[in-house]
Amino acid sequence: MLDSPAAVLTAPAQNRAARYAAVRSQTAEICRPLLPEDTVVQPVIDVSPPKWHLAHTTWFFETFLLAKHLPGYQVFHEQYAFLFNSYYNSLGSRVNRADRGTLSRPPLADVYAYRAYVDEHMARLLAPYADASDVPFAELFELGLQHEQQHQELLVTDIKYILSTNPLAPAYRTDAPAPGNATAPPPAWLRVSGGIGTIGYQPTNGDAPGFCFDNELPVHRTYVDDFELQNRLVTNAEYLQFMAAGGYQDFRHWLGEGWDLVQAEGWQAPLYWVERDGQWLRYTHHGLQLLDLAAPVTHISFYEADAYAHWAGARLPTEAEWELAARHFSPNIENGNFLESSRFDPAPLAADAADDECHQLFGDCWEWTYSAYHPYPGYQKAAGALGEYNGKFMINQMVLRGGSCATPVSHIRTSYRNFFHADKRWQFSGIRLARGL
Amino acid sequence: MLDSPAAVLTAPAQNRAARYAAVRSQTAEICRPLLPEDTVVQPVIDVSPPKWHLAHTTWFFETFLLAKHLPGYQVFHEQYAFLFNSYYNSLGSRVNRADRGTLSRPPLADVYAYRAYVDEHMARLLAPYADASDVPFAELFELGLQHEQQHQELLVTDIKYILSTNPLAPAYRTDAPAPGNATAPPPAWLRVSGGIGTIGYQPTNGDAPGFCFDNELPVHRTYVDDFELQNRLVTNAEYLQFMAAGGYQDFRHWLGEGWDLVQAEGWQAPLYWVERDGQWLRYTHHGLQLLDLAAPVTHISFYEADAYAHWAGARLPTEAEWELAARHFSPNIENGNFLESSRFDPAPLAADAADDECHQLFGDCWEWTYSAYHPYPGYQKAAGALGEYNGKFMINQMVLRGGSCATPVSHIRTSYRNFFHADKRWQFSGIRLARGL
Amino acid sequence: MLDSPAAVLTAPAQNRAARYAAVRSQTAEICRPLLPEDTVVQPVIDVSPPKWHLAHTTWFFETFLLAKHLPGYQVFHEQYAFLFNSYYNSLGSRVNRADRGTLSRPPLADVYAYRAYVDEHMARLLAPYADASDVPFAELFELGLQHEQQHQELLVTDIKYILSTNPLAPAYRTDAPAPGNATAPPPAWLRVSGGIGTIGYQPTNGDAPGFCFDNELPVHRTYVDDFELQNRLVTNAEYLQFMAAGGYQDFRHWLGEGWDLVQAEGWQAPLYWVERDGQWLRYTHHGLQLLDLAAPVTHISFYEADAYAHWAGARLPTEAEWELAARHFSPNIENGNFLESSRFDPAPLAADAADDECHQLFGDCWEWTYSAYHPYPGYQKAAGALGEYNGKFMINQMVLRGGSCATPVSHIRTSYRNFFHADKRWQFSGIRLARGL
Amino acid sequence: MLDSPAAVLTAPAQNRAARYAAVRSQTAEICRPLLPEDTVVQPVIDVSPPKWHLAHTTWFFETFLLAKHLPGYQVFHEQYAFLFNSYYNSLGSRVNRADRGTLSRPPLADVYAYRAYVDEHMARLLAPYADASDVPFAELFELGLQHEQQHQELLVTDIKYILSTNPLAPAYRTDAPAPGNATAPPPAWLRVSGGIGTIGYQPTNGDAPGFCFDNELPVHRTYVDDFELQNRLVTNAEYLQFMAAGGYQDFRHWLGEGWDLVQAEGWQAPLYWVERDGQWLRYTHHGLQLLDLAAPVTHISFYEADAYAHWAGARLPTEAEWELAARHFSPNIENGNFLESSRFDPAPLAADAADDECHQLFGDCWEWTYSAYHPYPGYQKAAGALGEYNGKFMINQMVLRGGSCATPVSHIRTSYRNFFHADKRWQFSGIRLARGL
């Protein structure tokens, strides 16, 4: 999910101006605890400076909406397109991704002025349309909001990474939730019947009407065998057992490229874990905290998820299995632990959670699947610059499903496909086990 | 196909000693035109020195068969296991892959002595069993032969790469086939009906009994929509049109990582193509030759195959589509252009080839599919060292199907899954177009 | 001059508290035009974030003076030693140099608080001593001031680099001096008699009493032949002639490693030069400015200086020649163009400058010599951590002499040895030609 | 000494044809124990394949002599200039240095045929001149011989490196000298008076008439203080004491860049040393051998030599000191341990060696000096391609003096300047201590 895809709109949207304002202010809210200095740095290429996110999302509205649909619109600054284009070849040259962290200017204050300028013009653009159902730029507008929500999640995870690399281990927020060292209920296996199923965005079949990305289409049939899924995510306590059993030392559990990485990087635990005086701590948005044993393990690569599953005598689900199971168990998405909880961490499952329900499918952690991020049968990328939104990333990445504690709740869907390279660990990624019958 | 997988044996084998001798002498025959100097170098990490292939295949028989099943067997040289183990962590430390080309010793003559020593002891091992149906090491024996055949193909492609990087452009053989500049017949689209199909190795359903790799199993059901496949491979003439249309200059056709590679490496044509005085030449096993316009384009990466398909308004098949189509059209595999033709190049399709048959499915070029090399549902890797044969490579690689002009004919099957990273070009890889309906 | 050397004190210092305050406020003054964002980034490893310079110089006083000589001193923050130690192995582990630009914390405000805290305690430390001649930490105190002055120069050049890499090309100051496109007077050759000369810091022989670095000692004899030196620095106009004559395209002028660099980096002009519409501009502290033809060429590597000299039929001086000539011509150092001029650029020589005087020896540009930075005969490095100040850099670097427009005037001396690797260009480095007789 | 310099001829040469034949056959003799496979590989960029040395030295005669001075000469192969040019930009493009080890062709037999062809034509070229004193190409002829001798030394050291990297540790020769574990006599300090001295090639002052490289000129005056030199090289026993004292673990002894290298490369001992069962072995031309404690330590970088000297409370000599001492003590060069001894290793000093003589100045080990390889005052590089022989390397390298056990005895002189980067270890480099008074 380096950025976001071309939009597909299935239902008329309402309250556009209010929704725009809500999404935009949510972004600023995420950045509020930051100092100007925090918004500049880029400790690794994957992590963009928060200042860049703030400007890039604004550039998106300026470029795809204002420049095309608001007559007489003057860009805020003629060089911002060069500075804040992410990866659209269609839209010209741009700053090298690796150099984003070298740019001290424009300062944060100018970026906020840029946001205000674009917001003001967006209000003008939206004014004539209010709740109109026939809006020439409806799809682009929706896409702009979804795009900004994707960057909200990236802001949350990039801020964590930026602060974590600092030897002072500063906290993003100081209101840490009390560490719940309670035990999670033991996992249970839930059976799902196979056969031909249908996956992809289906507003007529339970998916919330409104919007989906092009990579969730076409809706299509797929075949899966009967399978079982665990009813909750793998916990830190369980992952510690894998570590204690020598999981990071035994090549037999690992894919070859994963094992090479374990050796080269000296991985011994998930990202952000620190052992101190025989105790495991984790860097969190609230600073270094004791490991919560009952909480889902997170910040792991696909390789670690797969190795854990192998060690546990299970496997990861495919994305079709995951989506069909989610449609089958159909939990209430709103109940999940999302960005809006301000927890910024996956939460332990309640001790009395029902055995026969499938918990934590939405929110908490993105769940690695053993499916490559490829086009669905019949996939067509959009024309123009938006054709670069999703399609060109469909190689060498793995699909993750279900959203995380950093995802805005209104952003996720059963058909939502997130994707990252198998070695990435800075997202809130976790493990759900599957097995055949 | 960096190496080879664990074996599955479905039928009793016969004439073991004769088959062993035939395979082993085929390897030596491939290396016969080489000078000792040619057998040492490793111009890039993917390409192993021929001397190494000759020794590594021998080490495989020594380690997996003689050391375990021939009582009193003494290894030829105690350090050869360190020198010639490819990637088996189970079998201890080994020379770094990137350093294979720094080893002048043992000299080629010693490696041939090693081969003779192992062959002699293999004869002793096999003698008591002749055509016996109950052989304790039958599976390993079959695997050893298949493994050696895989390295025969790698020898052919590695030798080509080694000689091609030499400014003297030496020919491996001097008996070049006459360049046939005839035109290939225009391609035709063949329709294949979808539904639930069954893929994987099925000796009871047309696949030759004997052997398959573990990655071809389990046999399982899969669903595909109706689709169309072109009845032949894409030709050099067609690929030149893509180039002339600016295919290598237009990012819109490319996956993002492919486009980055085109820029970084300055790709303007397939591997081995050289423009001279306005004419395209290709380095071949017979030295630099005029491009044969009617022949299938080869030595292209997955990225190029996918970009071509996009430009042509089509797509690549999935591996399920490919296998189901192959089972549907069911051509006679023996008729393909394989290693035994000694052509060392894909061959143009005859001008009068039938429109309604599916040509070149086997031999000529490995066909890139848009399917990641992942485990089939229910896949189990073998116990012990052979568990490292196939399973650990099941990430970040794409499946290719059908064999090539460098594949031994007895090595290929309808269910055979070859795999390479999307950027690799030194294999005889090609393009077959597909499209939905 | 990555940092600074162990001190040698030759005369009692006076007004310590006032001098301390003056030097410290000079540093803050240099940083005054910066925004917090500007103080964080590190576009290349050579260039440290201004925030780091501000803290590191403070850490130096804290570590070498307060911690040792002010009873009961409590460090401002126990982790700052890890964050702001530059390269002293004696003083423990530290942040990797390449990672300085990833540290957003402590924020700039905290660093200024750190400075205030240390300044306050330094005042307490100095109070009892006033102008006392017998001070236990006199040498370390002087060294601390000199060290801070070295970082003032680095701040000036690092700030320039940081702002220059920004596509917005922001100006550090807006009061650019009027571009003087006047012509410089033609250069004249001045003869210097050779023989045995004495170099090194000699307060009894004209050098200002007070302080020198250990690398300027011991004073020792050296032999040079008669030689000639040009009476001014090479100008931009002259350097343009070299460029027009194909200087960057003709390998014959270049040292081998220099030529490789020209190829690899695509160098076509000095650092910061930009050609636009057929005109050469230069990025300066005042933003992009027209090239001043009469001003000395600057921001060139040793390789470029040497290639220019070769093209001009001359050579660079050795450091012994340079120092002996400086002692011979003995210009008034105070007249030079230093940091205090706030010009931040070398200045053109007045059109009526005397032919028989040696101009621009001090200030304007550091002058590359063809002398490696090696220990003087009998050199001894200091004991303890300060032994790491200078001695360990005495390999693979070239000596520069005379100070620049970014050097504090009170910091330079005739015996002063600056040093950089031959490929470095971000300092105000320039060319003075020499030749034999 | 990556290659060799432009020639200066001071006396008429005699017996040219015989000398040519002797030098050329010496090269072939060095390569005689090699297998064709050994002559191809290049384990690191510094080490060229022996086949390349054999051809490159031949190309030198072909290019600089035959092509210019033998009417009607036809080059042996038109592409050999591309293959075997080392670094002469004047002579066109060439194979990248790093790729020399990828070239299996031309095979060794062809290279020997090339040598025979050039030798035959050289005989024709030389025939009319016999012992003539007026020969138009006399200087180039001498240079060709000296150049070939330089490559003889490189062949010896490159062959050692190539075979050493092989896990089989093959011996180049099997006639190892008996390990003499005798103790070397304790070192003595010899005093040398300073003052103005004259260095550079001086046939009128004791240097053998005939030839020198341009980098040994001009003869010039230099000043040194009185100093002392040890009367022999540092031994393995002494170096072991440095190691036992934690020399490789204590940064205080090391130059900064050296210490970084020790960390990065994990250096714990000189190159080729291997600890096994508590005993130190060394890889030699005779395979792995017990360390000879009395023999000079060799295969060390400048950094190690300097760190050792620092630990020992001494320093390395400058090249001026070394040469003036060599002129003062004036040992008989022919008595040294050179290539012709076929020992291929520095030899222990006899137990009864005189205290007041300076031993091992010539042969055994090249002695690192603390002098950068820079031009002598007034140095002029030759016109044309030979101007690239020496001058362009005069940056970032250190001077070594005195020749080694791999140097042909007729190749060395008191004024001879060898040079390598400070990190290089694969030459026979050693340590002689100096100190001031």
Side-chain angles (χ1 to χ4, degrees), chain D residues 8 39 83 85 88 102 137 148-150 186 193 211 239 244 246 324 336 361-362 365 389 411 435:
Chain D
V8 174
T39 69
L83 289 171
N85 176 2
Y88 296 88
T102 68
F137 49 78
E148 181 123 2
Q149 288 186 313
Q150 291 184 308
S193 298
F211 173 88
Y239 199 82
L324 292 171
L361 274 170
F362 293 96
C365 292
Y389 202 115
H411 185 68
R435 66 181 182 196

Tab-separated table of all heavy atoms in Angstrom, chain D residues 8 39 83 85 88 102 137 148-150 186 193 211 239 244 246 324 336 361-362 365 389 411 435:
chain	number	residue	atom	x	y	z
D	8	VAL	N	63.643	6.100	-18.508
D	8	VAL	CA	64.758	7.019	-18.729
D	8	VAL	C	66.002	6.164	-18.874
D	8	VAL	O	66.275	5.303	-18.048
D	8	VAL	CB	64.926	7.984	-17.550
D	8	VAL	CG1	66.172	8.821	-17.745
D	8	VAL	CG2	63.702	8.861	-17.439
D	39	THR	N	44.817	-19.931	-14.842
D	39	THR	CA	45.241	-18.695	-15.509
D	39	THR	C	44.066	-17.798	-15.867
D	39	THR	O	44.253	-16.753	-16.481
D	39	THR	CB	46.022	-19.020	-16.806
D	39	THR	OG1	45.117	-19.578	-17.769
D	39	THR	CG2	47.165	-19.980	-16.538
D	83	LEU	N	41.280	-6.313	-25.531
D	83	LEU	CA	41.300	-7.274	-24.426
D	83	LEU	C	42.447	-7.048	-23.453
D	83	LEU	O	42.309	-7.288	-22.262
D	83	LEU	CB	41.406	-8.708	-24.975
D	83	LEU	CG	40.191	-9.275	-25.688
D	83	LEU	CD1	40.540	-10.599	-26.365
D	83	LEU	CD2	39.043	-9.491	-24.694
D	85	ASN	N	44.798	-4.180	-23.251
D	85	ASN	CA	45.208	-2.857	-22.788
D	85	ASN	C	44.859	-2.788	-21.310
D	85	ASN	O	43.782	-3.186	-20.899
D	85	ASN	CB	44.447	-1.785	-23.590
D	85	ASN	CG	44.728	-0.363	-23.117
D	85	ASN	OD1	45.521	-0.132	-22.208
D	85	ASN	ND2	44.058	0.591	-23.743
D	88	TYR	N	45.509	2.413	-20.532
D	88	TYR	CA	45.929	3.539	-21.367
D	88	TYR	C	44.742	4.144	-22.097
D	88	TYR	O	44.297	3.624	-23.112
D	88	TYR	CB	47.010	3.093	-22.363
D	88	TYR	CG	48.263	2.657	-21.657
D	88	TYR	CD1	48.426	1.334	-21.244
D	88	TYR	CD2	49.258	3.575	-21.339
D	88	TYR	CE1	49.565	0.936	-20.552
D	88	TYR	CE2	50.402	3.187	-20.652
D	88	TYR	CZ	50.542	1.868	-20.261
D	88	TYR	OH	51.668	1.487	-19.569
D	102	THR	N	36.295	-12.863	-16.279
D	102	THR	CA	35.145	-13.488	-16.945
D	102	THR	C	35.503	-13.983	-18.335
D	102	THR	O	34.664	-14.561	-19.008
D	102	THR	CB	33.976	-12.493	-17.097
D	102	THR	OG1	34.357	-11.470	-18.022
D	102	THR	CG2	33.619	-11.853	-15.761
D	137	PHE	N	64.508	2.953	-30.867
D	137	PHE	CA	63.484	2.565	-29.886
D	137	PHE	C	64.120	2.040	-28.592
D	137	PHE	O	63.516	1.263	-27.871
D	137	PHE	CB	62.580	1.494	-30.485
D	137	PHE	CG	63.340	0.364	-31.116
D	137	PHE	CD1	63.917	-0.629	-30.324
D	137	PHE	CD2	63.523	0.310	-32.500
D	137	PHE	CE1	64.635	-1.668	-30.907
D	137	PHE	CE2	64.248	-0.725	-33.071
D	137	PHE	CZ	64.810	-1.723	-32.281
D	148	GLU	N	57.717	-5.867	-18.191
D	148	GLU	CA	57.478	-7.308	-18.053
D	148	GLU	C	57.975	-7.807	-16.698
D	148	GLU	O	57.327	-8.658	-16.065
D	148	GLU	CB	58.157	-8.077	-19.198
D	148	GLU	CG	57.935	-9.574	-19.120
D	148	GLU	CD	57.289	-10.160	-20.366
D	148	GLU	OE1	57.033	-9.414	-21.343
D	148	GLU	OE2	57.011	-11.371	-20.375
D	149	GLN	N	59.057	-7.246	-16.225
D	149	GLN	CA	59.549	-7.647	-14.895
D	149	GLN	C	58.574	-7.237	-13.787
D	149	GLN	O	58.385	-7.961	-12.813
D	149	GLN	CB	60.923	-7.030	-14.630
D	149	GLN	CG	62.023	-7.689	-15.460
D	149	GLN	CD	63.400	-7.171	-15.089
D	149	GLN	OE1	63.605	-5.952	-14.977
D	149	GLN	NE2	64.333	-8.072	-14.900
D	150	GLN	N	57.960	-6.091	-13.960
D	150	GLN	CA	56.953	-5.694	-12.965
D	150	GLN	C	55.810	-6.704	-12.937
D	150	GLN	O	55.302	-7.076	-11.880
D	150	GLN	CB	56.414	-4.302	-13.289
D	150	GLN	CG	57.464	-3.221	-13.078
D	150	GLN	CD	56.913	-1.839	-13.312
D	150	GLN	OE1	56.329	-1.592	-14.356
D	150	GLN	NE2	57.102	-0.944	-12.351
D	186	PRO	N	68.395	-10.167	17.800
D	186	PRO	CA	67.628	-8.982	18.216
D	186	PRO	C	67.963	-7.796	17.310
D	186	PRO	O	69.078	-7.696	16.795
D	186	PRO	CB	68.101	-8.734	19.653
D	186	PRO	CG	69.339	-9.531	19.834
D	186	PRO	CD	69.303	-10.641	18.830
D	193	SER	N	73.009	10.149	9.888
D	193	SER	CA	73.090	11.606	10.049
D	193	SER	C	72.234	12.308	9.017
D	193	SER	O	72.212	11.907	7.846
D	193	SER	CB	74.531	12.072	9.885
D	193	SER	OG	75.320	11.492	10.894
D	211	PHE	N	68.871	2.310	-16.598
D	211	PHE	CA	67.458	2.624	-16.745
D	211	PHE	C	66.888	3.085	-15.420
D	211	PHE	O	67.268	2.614	-14.350
D	211	PHE	CB	66.717	1.358	-17.184
D	211	PHE	CG	65.242	1.501	-17.204
D	211	PHE	CD1	64.592	1.974	-18.336
D	211	PHE	CD2	64.476	1.189	-16.075
D	211	PHE	CE1	63.205	2.119	-18.351
D	211	PHE	CE2	63.103	1.331	-16.092
D	211	PHE	CZ	62.476	1.796	-17.232
D	239	TYR	N	55.788	-9.559	15.531
D	239	TYR	CA	54.420	-9.187	15.175
D	239	TYR	C	53.404	-9.959	16.022
D	239	TYR	O	52.357	-9.437	16.399
D	239	TYR	CB	54.183	-9.427	13.681
D	239	TYR	CG	52.996	-8.655	13.156
D	239	TYR	CD1	53.116	-7.318	12.805
D	239	TYR	CD2	51.746	-9.251	13.032
D	239	TYR	CE1	52.030	-6.584	12.347
D	239	TYR	CE2	50.654	-8.534	12.575
D	239	TYR	CZ	50.800	-7.208	12.227
D	239	TYR	OH	49.723	-6.493	11.784
D	244	ALA	N	49.394	-10.407	20.396
D	244	ALA	CA	49.107	-10.894	21.745
D	244	ALA	C	48.802	-9.741	22.688
D	244	ALA	O	48.018	-9.879	23.632
D	244	ALA	CB	50.295	-11.707	22.266
D	246	GLY	N	47.043	-7.353	21.999
D	246	GLY	CA	45.753	-6.774	21.642
D	246	GLY	C	45.857	-5.709	20.555
D	246	GLY	O	44.991	-4.848	20.435
D	324	LEU	N	68.204	7.634	1.657
D	324	LEU	CA	69.481	8.154	2.141
D	324	LEU	C	70.188	7.108	3.002
D	324	LEU	O	71.419	6.950	2.912
D	324	LEU	CB	69.259	9.461	2.915
D	324	LEU	CG	68.797	10.627	2.017
D	324	LEU	CD1	68.368	11.835	2.864
D	324	LEU	CD2	69.898	11.024	1.019
D	336	GLY	N	70.607	-9.912	-1.963
D	336	GLY	CA	69.252	-9.975	-1.418
D	336	GLY	C	68.493	-11.222	-1.839
D	336	GLY	O	68.886	-11.932	-2.775
D	361	LEU	N	67.624	-4.679	3.328
D	361	LEU	CA	67.129	-3.456	2.670
D	361	LEU	C	66.598	-3.781	1.282
D	361	LEU	O	65.629	-3.175	0.821
D	361	LEU	CB	68.242	-2.410	2.556
D	361	LEU	CG	68.446	-1.504	3.769
D	361	LEU	CD1	69.732	-0.688	3.606
D	361	LEU	CD2	67.267	-0.547	3.953
D	362	PHE	N	67.255	-4.728	0.608
D	362	PHE	CA	66.829	-5.097	-0.739
D	362	PHE	C	66.369	-6.545	-0.744
D	362	PHE	O	67.008	-7.418	-0.173
D	362	PHE	CB	67.972	-4.872	-1.728
D	362	PHE	CG	68.304	-3.416	-1.880
D	362	PHE	CD1	69.329	-2.837	-1.149
D	362	PHE	CD2	67.550	-2.609	-2.728
D	362	PHE	CE1	69.619	-1.487	-1.278
D	362	PHE	CE2	67.836	-1.256	-2.858
D	362	PHE	CZ	68.868	-0.688	-2.123
D	365	CYS	N	61.129	-8.133	1.597
D	365	CYS	CA	59.835	-7.442	1.638
D	365	CYS	C	59.982	-6.005	1.141
D	365	CYS	O	60.950	-5.321	1.501
D	365	CYS	CB	59.331	-7.334	3.080
D	365	CYS	SG	58.884	-8.893	3.823
D	389	TYR	N	51.961	6.136	-17.775
D	389	TYR	CA	52.579	4.993	-17.105
D	389	TYR	C	52.632	5.181	-15.592
D	389	TYR	O	52.230	4.319	-14.828
D	389	TYR	CB	53.986	4.781	-17.662
D	389	TYR	CG	54.515	3.392	-17.459
D	389	TYR	CD1	54.767	2.553	-18.528
D	389	TYR	CD2	54.769	2.913	-16.192
D	389	TYR	CE1	55.253	1.265	-18.333
D	389	TYR	CE2	55.247	1.633	-15.990
D	389	TYR	CZ	55.491	0.807	-17.053
D	389	TYR	OH	55.963	-0.460	-16.859
D	411	HIS	N	65.818	-5.779	-11.509
D	411	HIS	CA	64.763	-4.779	-11.661
D	411	HIS	C	64.852	-3.680	-10.594
D	411	HIS	O	64.307	-2.601	-10.776
D	411	HIS	CB	63.404	-5.475	-11.583
D	411	HIS	CG	62.247	-4.571	-11.850
D	411	HIS	ND1	61.993	-4.024	-13.084
D	411	HIS	CD2	61.269	-4.108	-11.032
D	411	HIS	CE1	60.907	-3.273	-13.010
D	411	HIS	NE2	60.457	-3.294	-11.773
D	435	ARG	N	63.102	5.836	13.935
D	435	ARG	CA	62.740	6.762	15.007
D	435	ARG	C	63.633	7.994	14.957
D	435	ARG	O	64.727	7.962	14.385
D	435	ARG	CB	62.830	6.091	16.390
D	435	ARG	CG	64.228	5.702	16.821
D	435	ARG	CD	64.197	5.015	18.202
D	435	ARG	NE	65.554	4.692	18.621
D	435	ARG	CZ	65.864	3.844	19.591
D	435	ARG	NH1	64.910	3.201	20.241
D	435	ARG	NH2	67.121	3.616	19.924
